[in-house]
């Protein structure tokens, strides 16, 4: 079906509502336009070049629509219209490189279209070769006179592919098409003459610049008489013009005349003057108009192609665009263009000019900086970001919610959400993204909004499609949202953080966003401006490890996490001694819930950081000290154990205030090292008691006093584990030994139930099962004692190696199981119909030998073929080997199985375990120091009394609470649980209307001592001291960065 051509010649012809296609257009003679794709013969082009033949009277409004609707061209940000000589001229090799590189770089940075006459001669040939040499994907559009194109009859087809080849040399009568252009517009004016396309080209360029609001820059290279007309029209319209001085002819004459008016010297002035004298009256008049109008608009820029000291051509082109006085762009618009082009040099030039013209920063410049900063963040421009910040851009005015509602941010979150949800649930279209951004803007955030709230609420809105009235934080707790939110953020980011008592965006907020969208360089640029360089670097490492756990390709993210950790180490290394570094390590960071750097490093598995000498020394202090004092000197473990049984020996070995001797004794037992040995000694006593019960319980028909005491002790262990879980419900089971404890206590619970049922109801089965369960419990309980080894420098790495090797064994068993099942079924298939004799005896051993037929041989363990694959792996074959020996195939299979299992798989396991041990040994120091942190943490926060004495302590606390609070009061149960778990934390909350309770510490000490907790990060410092410490860290960061740059 042929579409009737539109009557485009009529001025004001309405545009069609439907998409514009080539069938809507026609040639000069009224016939439908020829169009299709050109394949240039003998040229290295992978793609076809679309082309169309149209009349010179075609409505440019409609043709512009066709370029976007049918050709699907990307919308340009700049039009680069290149005009000049159509005759052959030569550039020297270096000059051609300067021209090619500068032109293409300018087009790439500005997302421009390059428009030329598109013929294989003169400047058009250089432009095509420039695009090819730079391998640039830049729309290069040719607007050529159809009747002057050689071999144009080959192009007169309808919607077909055309092979085009240059058959003859170019001449004044015709020229071939340049093969490196991407699109060809062949203008038919009905006459065989040059210049028939100029009017249409000019009108099309005007239409695109008007409708799409994009700048146009005219680049003049060489040129003949017609070039003066083109330049004159461009200058009169106010378009910026870049004249390539030194390219020859028209370009040199325009440059000479422009300089002459300004009394500037020109190379080869006499020869150029002679060329001007030879011009006709019309060309001289046009040259005069060019110089006059350019003086008025100041829109001509000269680029000396032969001057070695000039900048690249792209700089001149971009400066010319920004200097377009015809558009009268504001400083903000120019800044945004520079950001969009990713040209820091252009922006630096703008800032210099602005400072010269305005002196100091004005409100207009500050507002422009804020807009440019927002744009730089959105487009991922780290170098421009640093430039803007150095000139006073303020991050507090960045619209963080817009950043989180960007398409790229949504796409990243969608990929992360896809780990937990199906693609259908996470399908986010563009319209929904715009709506989400509107939601975030419309929703009113509470006055105390934290970094966590900003991120997690954004994720929640994306996931749950919250309505504006639902509230920004209403869906954060939804169980469908929790997995991702907890995995990335909720465990480690803050819940309350107010900066300057109002909601503002800090460099830390922006750095977190940059990390979540995986913009490493941008995050690094923002880190260099944060107030807490060590804390934020470790936070970056933590977040990157969290992101790595959500994706398949984890290597690059883990490497980035290690890189951020190295930044924190670099800053820490700048401190001069431990005494100076200690306050920085202890400094609590409100953004992370008053956690210090060691807590953040532990969460992010920053082994190198925790292995640092300063961190380990602080661990040493915390291991042998409390907030009330520490050991005077290094005391051996044997001495500590001795003092546990003889408390009077504590005097003289523990630093404390003289008026707190009793408190000193109390706080000696609070030392983490003392807690370790106290718990260990009590646990050894528990193991002896458990061993006694395990050996004797099978023969006892009723509960003994030993068993009753064991049940009481187990209750203390249960309660202690529950208290630990209540202190950290989210991260409790992250530790391996906590999982072992859970399994051990589960076995104990089963043992107690079976023992109770078996004894009460005289159930022999339950009693027998209880004996078996307690045997397993005994083994696990003894192995649990290995946790104490982690404190030892030599045993600790071995314990880590054992844990890693268990994973190797698990992988080995998976592979071995595949071989075992395969060969077992094969052996069973071969011997299914065989009959063989096995010796079976009853309990008295009097049953004679029997003959088994059919499937009974499979259960005749261990002599049946079912177990052959397993026992042969251990060197035991049984009588079934004789049956298999009757078959050669069976023997071959058995031999192959033994080779694969005993040689290949066993050696594979040995190699895996050797590699694991080697890696642990090489990093044993770091591994041990890292695991040591968690051991110190565990005993630093554990209760004073070990099980079962903890039951007495909890009873006393419950009595104390009931005295202070009526059991019938509202919220009594929840408050009681909170008080039992952590009395100190309960006291800090200071609940109104409730009687304040004395904790154990206050019983012994009423002084207002400074709280210095390594793990809560809570430290009362004056504002002045905190500011000094932050300033010192920032100075050391600058020192570290300077050293990095010098290296």
């Amino acid at each position: 079906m042929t579409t009737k051509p539109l009557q485009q010649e009529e001025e004001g012809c309405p545009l069609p509502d439907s998409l514009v296609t080539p069938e809507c257009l026609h040639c000069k003679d009224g016939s439908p336009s020829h169009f299709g794709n050109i394949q240039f013969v003998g040229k290295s082009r992978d793609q076809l070049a679309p082309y169309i033949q149209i009349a010179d009277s075609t409505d440019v409004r409609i043709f512009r629509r066709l370029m976007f609707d049918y050709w699907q061209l990307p919308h340009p940000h700049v039009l680069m219209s290149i005009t000049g000589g159509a005759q052959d001229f030569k550039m020297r090799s270096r000059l051609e490189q300067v021209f090619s590189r500068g032109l293409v770089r300018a087009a790439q940075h500005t997302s421009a279209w390059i428009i030329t006459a598109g013929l294989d001669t003169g400047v058009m040939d250089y432009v095509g070769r420039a695009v090819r040499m730079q391998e640039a994907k830049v729309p290069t559009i040719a607007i050529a006179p159809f009747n002057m194109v050689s071999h144009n009859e080959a192009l007169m087809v309808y919607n077909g592919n055309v092979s085009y080849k240059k058959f003859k040399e170019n001449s004044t009568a015709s020229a071939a098409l340049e093969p490196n252009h991407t699109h060809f517009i062949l203008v038919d004016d009905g006459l065989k003459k040059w210049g028939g396309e100029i009017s249409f080209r000019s009108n099309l360029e005007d239409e695109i610049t008007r409708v799409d609001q994009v700048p146009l820059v005219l680049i003049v290279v060489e040129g003949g008489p017609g070039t003066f007309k083109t330049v004159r029209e461009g200058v009169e319209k106010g378009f910026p013009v870049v004249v390539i001085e030194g390219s020859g002819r028209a370009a040199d004459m325009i440059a000479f005349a422009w300089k002459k008016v300004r009394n500037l010297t020109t190379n080869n002035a006499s020869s150029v003057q002679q060329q001007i004298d030879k011009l006709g009256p019309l060309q001289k008049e046009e040259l005069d108009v060019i110089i006059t109008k350019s003086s008025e608009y100041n829109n001509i820029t000269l680029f000396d192609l032969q001057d070695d000291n000039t900048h690249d051509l792209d700089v001149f082109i971009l400066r010319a665009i920004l200097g377009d006085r015809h558009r009268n762009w504001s400083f903000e618009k120019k800044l945004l263009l520079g950001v969009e082009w990713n040209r820091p040099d252009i922006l630096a030039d703008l800032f210099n000019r602005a400072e010269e013209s305005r002196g100091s920063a004005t409100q207009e410049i500050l507002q422009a900086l804020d807009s440019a900063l927002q744009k730089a963040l959105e487009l991922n421009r780290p170098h421009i970001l640093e430039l803007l910040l150095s000139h006073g851009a303020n991050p507090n005015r960045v619209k963080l919610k817009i950043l989180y509602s960007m398409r790229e941010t949504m796409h990243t979150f969608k990929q992360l959400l896809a780990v937990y949800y199906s693609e259908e649930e996470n399908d986010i279209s563009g319209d929904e993204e715009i709506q989400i951004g509107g939601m975030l803007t419309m929703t009113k955030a509470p006055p105390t909004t934290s970094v966590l709230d900003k991120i997690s609420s954004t994720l929640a809105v994306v996931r749950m499609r919250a309505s504006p009235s639902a509230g920004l934080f209403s869906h954060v707790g939804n169980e469908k949202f929790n997995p991702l939110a907890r995995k990335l953020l909720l465990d480690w980011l803050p819940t309350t953080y107010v900066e300057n008592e109002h909601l503002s965006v800090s460099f830390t907020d922006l750095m977190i966003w940059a990390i979540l969208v995986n913009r490493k360089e941008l995050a690094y640029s923002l880190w260099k401006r944060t107030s807490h360089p060590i804390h934020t670097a470790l936070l970056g490492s933590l977040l990157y490890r969290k992101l790595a756990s959500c994706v398949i390709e984890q290597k690059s993210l883990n490497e980035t996490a290690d890189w951020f950790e190295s930044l924190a180490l670099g800053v820490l290394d700048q401190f001069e001694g431990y005494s100076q570094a200690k306050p920085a390590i202890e400094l609590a960071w409100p953004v992370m819930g008053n956690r210090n750097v060691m807590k953040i490093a532990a969460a992010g598995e920053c082994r190198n950081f925790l292995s640092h000498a300063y961190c380990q020394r602080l661990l040493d202090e915390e291991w042998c000290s409390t907030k009330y004092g520490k050991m005077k000197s290094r005391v051996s473990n044997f001495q500590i154990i001795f003092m546990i049984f003889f408390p009077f020996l504590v005097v003289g070995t523990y630093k404390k205030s003289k008026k707190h001797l009793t408190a000193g004794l109390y706080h000696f037992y609070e030392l983490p090292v003392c807690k370790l040995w106290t718990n260990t000694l009590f646990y050894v006593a528990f193991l002896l008691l458990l061993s006694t019960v395990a050996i004797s319980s099978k023969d006892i028909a009723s509960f003994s006093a030993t068993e009753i005491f064991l049940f009481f002790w187990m209750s203390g262990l249960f309660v202690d584990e529950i208290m630990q879980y209540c202190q950290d419900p989210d991260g409790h089971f992250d530790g391996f030994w906590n999982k072992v404890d859970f399994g051990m206590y589960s076995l104990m619970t089963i043992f107690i139930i079976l023992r109770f049922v078996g004894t009460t109801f005289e159930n022999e089965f339950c009693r027998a099962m209880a004996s078996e369960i307690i045997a397993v419990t005994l083994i696990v309980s003894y192995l649990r004692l290995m946790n104490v080894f982690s404190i030892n420098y030599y045993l600790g790495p071995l314990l880590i190696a054992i844990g890693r090797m268990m994973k190797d064994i698990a992988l080995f068993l998976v592979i071995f199981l595949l071989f075992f099942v395969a060969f077992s079924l094969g052996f069973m298939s071969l011997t299914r119909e065989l009959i063989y004799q096995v010796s079976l005896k009853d309990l008295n051993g009097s049953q004679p030998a029997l003959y088994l037929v059919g499937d009974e041989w499979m259960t005749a363990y261990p002599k049946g073929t079912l177990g052959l694959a397993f026992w042969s792996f251990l060197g035991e074959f049984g009588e079934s080997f004789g049956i298999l020996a009757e078959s050669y195939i069976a023997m071959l299979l058995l031999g192959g199985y033994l080779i694969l299992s005993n040689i290949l798989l066993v050696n594979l396991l040995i190699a895996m375990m050797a590699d694991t041990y080697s890696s642990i040994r090489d990093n044993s120091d770091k591994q041990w120091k890292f695991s040591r942190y968690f051991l110190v943490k565990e005993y630093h926060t554990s209760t004073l009394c070990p099980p079962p004495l903890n039951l007495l302590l909890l009873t006393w606390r419950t009595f104390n609470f009931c005295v202070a609070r009526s059991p019938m009061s509202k919220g009594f149960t929840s408050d009681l649980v909170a008080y039992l778990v952590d009395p100190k934390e309960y006291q800090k909350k200071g609940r109104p209307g409730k009687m304040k309770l004395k904790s154990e510490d206050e019983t012994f000490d009423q002084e207002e001592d400074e709280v210095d907790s390594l793990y809560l990060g809570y430290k009362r410092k004056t504002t002045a001291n905190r500011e000094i410490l932050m300033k010192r860290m920032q100075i050391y960061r600058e020192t570290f960065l300077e050293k990095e740059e010098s290296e």
Side-chain angles (χ1 to χ4, degrees), residues 451-452 455 484-496 512 535 538-539 541-547 549 589-596 598-605 728 730-732 734 933-934 937 1015:
V451 178
L452 168 63
I455 301 172
L484 177 67
R486 288 185 183 278
K487 196 168 189 65
L488 283 178
L489 307 165
L490 290 181
D491 289 345
W492 306 114
L493 288 180
T495 54
T496 55
I512 292 174
H535 298 73
L538 293 173
L539 174 59
S541 179
L542 185 153
L543 288 178
Y544 267 109
R545 293 201 194 280
K546 293 290 182 181
L547 288 173
S549 65
W589 192 28
V591 177
M592 289 292 289
N594 281 331
R595 293 179 174 90
N596 61 20
M598 293 186 69
K599 177 68 175 179
I600 305 172
E605 299 181 11
D728 186 15
D730 294 328
H732 179 70
D734 292 341
Y933 167 86
F934 294 97
K937 170 190 173 183
Y1015 302 102

Side-chain angles (χ1 to χ4, degrees), residues 615-896:
C615 295
Q616 289 299 307
R617 185 168 174 180
L618 184 57
L619 277 179
D620 291 337
E621 289 185 0
E622 293 293 330
W623 184 236
C624 298
S625 66
T626 65
K627 65 181 180 179
Y628 295 98
K630 62 181 179 179
M631 292 292 178
K632 287 184 177 180
S633 60
R634 188 170 183 85
V635 182
S636 67
N637 291 326
F638 176 78
Q639 290 175 301
I640 293 175
I641 295 174
F642 199 72
M643 285 186 290
I644 291 175
F645 292 102
F646 302 98
F648 61 87
L649 295 177
V650 172
V651 179
T653 61
Y654 189 69
K655 291 182 179 180
K656 56 191 179 301
S657 176
K658 292 182 179 179
K659 62 180 180 179
H660 295 299
L661 295 177
T662 307
L665 181 63
Y666 170 80
H667 290 297
F668 165 75
Y669 286 100
E670 267 202 337
L671 291 174
V673 62
C674 186
K675 289 181 182 178
L676 169 68
W677 289 115
T678 303
N679 279 271
T680 301
L681 293 173
F682 271 81
Y683 190 75
V684 170
F686 167 76
L687 290 178
L688 296 176
L689 181 63
L690 182 64
S691 301
T692 303
V693 173
I695 295 173
S696 61
S697 62
K698 188 173 183 180
D699 301 327
I700 300 176
S702 62
F703 291 111
S704 64
T706 307
E707 282 186 304
I708 294 174
F709 186 59
L710 176 65
F711 296 159
F712 175 74
W713 204 315
M714 287 181 175
S715 300
L717 291 172
F718 294 158
V719 171
D720 184 65
E721 189 69 18
I722 293 172
M723 301 296 285
Q724 292 182 30
Y725 175 80
C726 292
Q727 288 180 349
D728 186 15
D730 294 328
H732 179 70
F733 290 107
D734 292 341
F736 171 76
W737 291 112
N738 287 330
K739 298 175 183 177
V740 174
D741 289 340
F742 178 78
M744 182 177 67
Y745 297 147
S746 299
L747 291 173
M748 290 180 182
T749 304
I750 297 173
F751 162 71
I752 293 174
I753 294 173
L754 291 174
R755 182 70 175 135
F756 177 80
V757 174
T759 302
T760 304
F761 300 99
E762 297 183 355
N763 190 317
E764 292 296 330
F765 174 77
C766 290
R767 290 171 59 184
M769 287 297 297
S771 299
E772 295 177 1
I773 292 296
I774 199 169
V776 178
T777 305
L778 185 64
I779 296 174
V780 176
S781 300
Y782 269 91
L783 294 178
R784 175 65 175 82
L785 195 60
M786 287 194 301
N787 184 33
V788 184
F789 296 166
S790 58
I791 199 63
N792 186 273
Y793 180 79
Y794 300 100
L795 295 178
L798 294 179
L799 189 63
I800 297 173
I802 292 174
R804 297 281 182 88
M805 289 179 183
M806 294 299 294
K807 297 180 181 179
D808 295 337
I809 293 176
L811 295 175
F812 166 79
L813 290 177
V814 172
I815 301 175
F816 174 74
L817 183 63
L818 178 63
F819 284 87
F820 171 74
V821 172
F823 280 93
S824 293
L825 295 176
F827 296 150
M828 291 170 61
S829 176
L830 288 172
T831 59
R832 181 176 178 81
E833 302 300 331
L834 296 177
I835 302 173
Y836 62 96
Q837 181 180 8
V838 295
S839 297
L840 296 177
K841 296 182 179 181
D842 59 10
L843 296 176
N844 297 325
S846 60
Q847 183 69 26
L850 298 176
Y851 290 92
L852 300 182
V853 182
D855 292 339
E856 294 183 10
W857 58 271
M858 288 192 299
T859 58
Y861 174 84
K863 299 177 182 180
T865 310
L866 181 63
L868 177 62
F870 176 76
W871 290 105
S872 62
F873 176 74
L874 302 177
E876 175 67 32
F877 295 96
E879 296 183 6
S880 56
F881 177 78
I883 303 298
L884 292 176
E886 299 296 328
S887 171
Y888 292 109
I889 295 179
M891 295 304 295
L892 288 174
L893 290 177
L894 181 60

Side-chain angles (χ1 to χ4, degrees), residues 191-226:
L191 302 174
K192 191 174 179 59
K193 66 174 185 177
W194 295 105
E197 83 289 356
I198 294 178
S199 178
F200 174 83
R201 172 178 170 176
S202 177
N203 294 334
L204 179 62
E205 292 171 347
D206 291 346
E207 177 69 12
I208 295 174
T209 56
R210 181 185 64 83
V211 176
D212 296 292
Q213 290 296 303
V214 296
L216 180 144
V217 57
L218 182 63
I219 303 174
V220 183
V221 185
E222 209 243 5

Side-chain angles (χ1 to χ4, degrees), residues 233-503:
E233 292 176 353
V235 170
E236 289 178 336
K237 293 176 182 178
F239 294 140
V241 179
V242 177
V243 179
I244 309 300
E245 184 182 5
S247 58
R249 299 208 299 163
D252 287 353
M253 286 185 272
I254 295 173
F256 173 79
W258 187 88
K259 285 185 174 182
K260 185 177 181 179
V261 172
R262 289 161 178 78
N263 297 321
L264 300 176
T265 59
T266 305
N267 296 328
N268 302 322
S270 59
S271 61
V272 176
Q273 183 63 57
Q274 292 177 4
Q275 296 180 31
I276 294 176
D277 295 338
K278 295 179 180 179
L279 292 175
L282 181 59
Q283 285 75 34
K284 288 183 179 180
E285 180 182 354
E286 290 174 339
L287 180 58
D288 292 338
V289 173
I290 290 172
I291 301 304
T292 303
K293 290 294 183 181
S294 66
S295 300
E296 179 181 348
Y297 293 124
N298 194 22
N299 57 348
I300 285 185
T301 302
L302 301 184
F303 176 76
D304 192 347
L305 198 61
Q306 299 177 350
D307 188 354
D308 295 333
N309 296 322
T310 56
H311 297 283
D312 290 336
L313 175 60
D314 57 320
V315 176
F316 282 78
I317 295 175
L318 299 179
R319 286 177 178 174
I321 296 172
L322 295 179
D324 186 356
R325 295 192 177 185
H326 175 69
R327 292 184 172 274
N328 195 24
W329 278 330
S330 64
F331 182 75
E332 179 178 352
K333 176 64 175 177
K334 293 178 181 179
L335 272 186
L336 293 176
L337 284 175
V339 173
E340 193 171 307
W341 299 341
N342 196 18
R343 293 302 299 261
D345 52 344
I346 298 298
L347 290 179
D349 185 60
L350 280 176
F351 285 126
N352 293 335
R353 294 183 181 181
E355 291 174 0
E356 291 175 359
S357 60
R358 295 180 174 89
S360 60
T362 63
Q363 188 63 32
E364 178 188 358
I365 295 178
L366 294 177
Q367 184 177 356
L369 283 170
D370 295 338
S371 301
L373 181 61
Q374 182 83 33
K375 193 76 171 180
L377 291 167
E378 294 175 6
L379 297 180
N380 191 17
R381 306 284 195 253
H383 298 296
I384 290 180
L385 175 73
E386 295 186 6
L387 178 65
L388 295 173
L389 293 175
S390 65
H391 282 82
N394 191 349
N396 290 333
R397 289 189 283 270
V398 172
K399 299 176 182 177
L400 191 64
K401 295 175 182 178
I402 293 180
L403 297 179
Y404 277 103
S405 60
M406 286 169 49
R407 180 179 297 272
E408 182 178 350
T409 306
M410 295 296 175
H411 178 68
T412 302
F413 290 154
K414 176 183 174 183
Q415 288 180 322
L416 297 176
L417 289 165
V419 177
Y420 301 96
Y421 312 107
S422 64
E423 284 294 329
E424 294 181 357
E425 290 178 323
N426 293 293
D427 186 17
I428 302 176
S429 64
D431 295 338
E432 288 174 332
E433 290 168 10
I434 296 173
Q435 187 181 10
I436 290 170
M439 291 177 187
L440 292 174
T441 303
M442 294 169 61
T443 307
K444 294 182 179 180
T448 58
T449 303
S450 66
V451 178
L452 168 63
D453 294 330
K454 297 169 188 173
I455 301 172
S456 61
S457 60
T458 304
L459 290 171
V461 173
V462 174
R463 177 68 190 93
M464 303 307 300
R465 309 290 198 269
S467 61
S469 60
L472 194 59
F473 315 108
S474 58
H475 295 291
V476 175
N478 188 288
E479 61 181 21
K480 291 185 178 180
F481 173 70
N482 276 344
L484 177 67
R486 288 185 183 278
K487 196 168 189 65
L488 283 178
L489 307 165
L490 290 181
D491 289 345
W492 306 114
L493 288 180
T495 54
T496 55
Y497 171 50
V498 184
E499 185 177 5
N500 299 328
E501 298 183 354
H502 63 83
L503 177 62

